[in-house]
Amino acid sequence: MNNFDKTAYWQDIDQAHHIHPFTDTADLNNRGTRVITRAEGVFIEDSNGKRYLDGMAGLWCVNVGYGRKELAEVAYKQMLELPYYNNFFQCANTPAIELSKVLAEITPDGLNHVFYANSGSEANDTVVRMVRQYWKLKGQPERSYIISRKNAYHGSTVAGASLGGMSGMHAQGGPMLPDIAHIDQPYWYGEGGDHTPEEFGLIAARKLEEKIEELGADRVGAFIGEPIQGAGGVIIPPSTYWPEIQRICDKYDILLIADEVICGFGRTGAWFGSDTFGIKPDLMPMAKGMSSGYLPISAVMVGERVADVLINECGEFTHGFTYSGHPACAAVALENIRILREEKMVERVKNDIGPYFANALKALADHPLVGAVETVGLIAGMPLVDDKKTRKGFDKPGTVGTICRDACVANGVIMRACGDRMVLSPPLCITKEEIDELVKRALAAFDETAKKIGKM
Ligand code: PMP
């Protein structure tokens, strides 16, 4: 079979049997699945042999890049030695034990305990149960409310979708979990009006205080936020936002949860987004970059305050997964962190490749469709707009973004459209030449988009 026959073969089977995540499957079946068969560095290749520069590191996760043999080798070795054993019933495996120590070292001060799961969604489910159990043990079970933000993403299990602020998700598979409230997001470009970003950061943060006052502080257990909202379109909050959120959480004695599933493991030029924004989280769910996506593993880092109660006052915490602390996944995570450390990848994002990325993307800021280029480290968001001066978006949100995303794919670069915000989150190993290539391909795609909608 030649490549094209093989592709048709896989597409037929896929269409017959596979329901894809976050996909209009009928539409996909009309268009045909793109079958990705191999990858190396920052490039992926499909079954027709076409190569794409992966500007998204998969789904924001392949931080060390594709094709790292060390990761495959430790998985292979661990699977031969001990492919599986659980961490229940007085047992533990050595990779999970060692990983716990390393995570306590690299995460912010005060986070010294870890609970393992398999995905970001499961980590956030764990967080919900921990928060509510913590307050119950503290004799305040009525503090069951968790406050989140509109346009937040925290996963797609029932708890993840409920915590998230995506209306399209709340509309399906409900009812959502009770006692979760959503406040406005700190999205200055889209919602900041005539305020300066700094003013707007304070206004957005004070929505938390208003919500606490409305619900009653004695009913609120926690606030959850991504340091930078990823799936919401890479919404980078103004500098005033997180310090004010921290102040409010401290004032009302509310637990602060930083969802580091995207920001963690170097993405923002520090180990965690909490380091970049000066957040002191009580609970810190993380996943993705923890293993660079080579095997599924996630975790919740638990701060002293919660750990002390959960460990000393709870008795059995009736929560856990068959694969919590899976030895092969933990071994891969350990090796992944070793690579990040030894190759100083996080420092490189901060001091070298991150600034280069920000500078290179300036070429896109001049494009007639692009309202702004917003970056931190190796993550970027670019709103496509109808009017650059007034920051006015397009009438049918999402349409131009989708056209642009498809044009990017056609031009050999993977970018994602979150509504009309084009986003980037490339592997941390990307080189300067590859960033130049990414920008070149993106510019061609943006031009095609502008022509298609009559803006050029
Ligand atoms: N939290 C955040 C911030 C995320 O970006 C994601 C996934 N994109 C999740 C949680 C859920 O992770 P998973 O898809 O591994 O369940």
Side-chain angles (χ1 to χ4, degrees), residues 240-252:
T240 48
Y241 182 76
W242 277 111
E244 185 66 0
I245 290 283
Q246 182 79 54
R247 183 191 69 76
I248 294 166
C249 288
D250 292 348
K251 175 176 167 190
Y252 294 93

Side-chain angles (χ1 to χ4, degrees), residues 111-348:
L111 298 172
N112 292 316
H113 289 86
V114 57
F115 190 99
Y116 292 110
N118 308 287
S119 66
S121 300
E122 283 179 4
N124 280 322
D125 273 59
T126 301
V127 157
V128 171
R129 297 200 68 205
M130 278 185 179
V131 166
R132 292 182 173 165
Q133 180 59 5
Y134 169 80
W135 285 114
K136 193 172 166 200
L137 292 165
K138 295 283 285 179
Q140 295 173 263
E142 61 288 351
R143 287 186 92 142
S144 57
Y145 260 97
I146 299 177
I147 300 177
S148 177
R149 285 99 52 92
K150 295 172 191 162
N151 199 34
Y153 189 82
H154 297 296
S156 72
T157 51
V158 173
S162 304
L163 285 173
M166 302 284 177
S167 49
M169 292 178 76
H170 289 185
Q172 294 183 13
M176 295 288 115
L177 276 190
D179 294 359
I180 292 172
H182 296 86
I183 58 172
D184 290 340
Q185 58 179 334
Y187 181 24
W188 175 80
Y189 190 89
E191 299 169 9
D194 293 331
H195 297 290
T196 64
E198 291 72 26
E199 285 167 358
F200 184 70
L202 290 177
I203 292 169
R206 286 176 190 154
K207 299 275 179 181
L208 174 60
E209 191 153 29
E210 288 164 25
K211 185 55 84 178
I212 294 168
E213 295 288 351
E214 178 195 318
L215 295 168
D218 55 352
R219 294 176 65 209
V220 179
F223 171 78
I224 184 167
E226 303 151 78
I228 294 170
Q229 287 153 257
V234 182
I235 311 292
I236 301 168
S239 61
T240 48
Y241 182 76
W242 277 111
E244 185 66 0
I245 290 283
Q246 182 79 54
R247 183 191 69 76
I248 294 166
C249 288
D250 292 348
K251 175 176 167 190
Y252 294 93
D253 195 28
I254 284 167
L255 296 172
L256 205 171
I257 306 156
D259 181 339
E260 293 272 4
V261 169
I262 284 179
C263 291
F265 300 93
R267 176 62 53 201
T268 67
W271 275 96
F272 293 91
S274 293
D275 300 317
T276 297
F277 292 98
I279 306 165
K280 293 196 202 74
D282 294 293
L283 293 165
M284 204 171 89
M286 52 203 198
K288 297 191 190 276
M290 190 171 163
S291 64
S292 286
Y294 279 60
L295 282 179
I297 185 166
S298 72
V300 179
M301 292 306 297
V302 183
E304 291 306 330
R305 173 179 172 189
V306 178
D308 183 42
V309 172
L310 268 188
I311 292 167
N312 298 311
E313 293 172 37
C314 186
E316 178 183 346
F317 180 45
T318 55
H319 181 77
F321 307 102
T322 301
Y323 303 131
S324 287
H326 187 287
C329 303
V332 167
L334 260 178
E335 182 65 8
N336 174 62
I337 295 167
R338 188 196 62 74
I339 292 173
L340 287 167
R341 275 175 149 173
E342 237 171 74
E343 299 184 9
K344 301 209 180 321
M345 282 192 167
V346 183
E347 293 84 343
R348 180 171 171 271

